[in-house]
Amino acid sequence: MRASFTPGFQSYSQDQTALYPLDPTLQAQLDALKAENNDVRSYYDSISKTGFALSSDVSLYYKISPTTRIGGEASYNTFGSYDEFRSLLGVRQNFGSTGR
């Protein structure tokens, strides 16, 4: 079994940016639509966040023979602008010498 837990503190910000930064014609059309209808989005909003975050993972495998293990892994991460959960179930098979 292997496990880890890492608490931390993060601070990040993203500036407001156009939806079509490389195409001024499309961006101008979108800005014109925004002037007519406030529900139209013509820019990605700016974001600024600060707070605590954590990263943790656990791995557990059970030996069913000298060369075969079954088990799984799971991890959870809240760093960045999203939360991520990953899991894995599997069989590990060693080929060749078992060290004896």
Side-chain angles (χ1 to χ4, degrees), residues 3-26:
S4 71
F5 177 77
T6 308
F9 187 78
Q10 67 179 357
S11 178
Y12 65 92
S13 62
Q14 296 173 326
D15 295 334
Q16 176 178 308
T17 187
L19 289 178
Y20 298 108
L22 301 177
D23 193 333
T25 305
L26 283 176

Side-chain angles (χ1 to χ4, degrees), residues 61-71 90-100:
Y61 283 87
Y62 178 75
K63 190 180 221 180
I64 58 174
S65 78
T67 60
T68 306
R69 296 181 293 158
I70 60 170
V91 177
R92 290 191 173 179
Q93 179 70 46
N94 293 333
F95 298 100
S97 173
T98 61
R100 293 184 194 173

Side-chain angles (χ1 to χ4, degrees), residues 3-4 19 33 50 57:
S4 71
L19 289 178
L33 288 173
T50 301
D57 66 86

Side-chain angles (χ1 to χ4, degrees), residues 4-12 49-57 75-86:
S4 71
F5 177 77
T6 308
F9 187 78
Q10 67 179 357
S11 178
Y12 65 92
K49 291 191 177 183
T50 301
F52 291 98
L54 66 95
S55 176
S56 63
D57 66 86
S75 67
Y76 182 65
N77 188 341
T78 63
F79 284 94
S81 60
Y82 59 89
D83 292 351
E84 177 185 56
F85 176 77
R86 294 188 306 162

Side-chain angles (χ1 to χ4, degrees), residues 20-39:
Y20 298 108
L22 301 177
D23 193 333
T25 305
L26 283 176
Q27 186 62 41
Q29 290 176 359
L30 199 55
D31 290 339
L33 288 173
K34 174 72 173 173
E36 295 174 16
N37 182 348
N38 202 31
D39 290 334

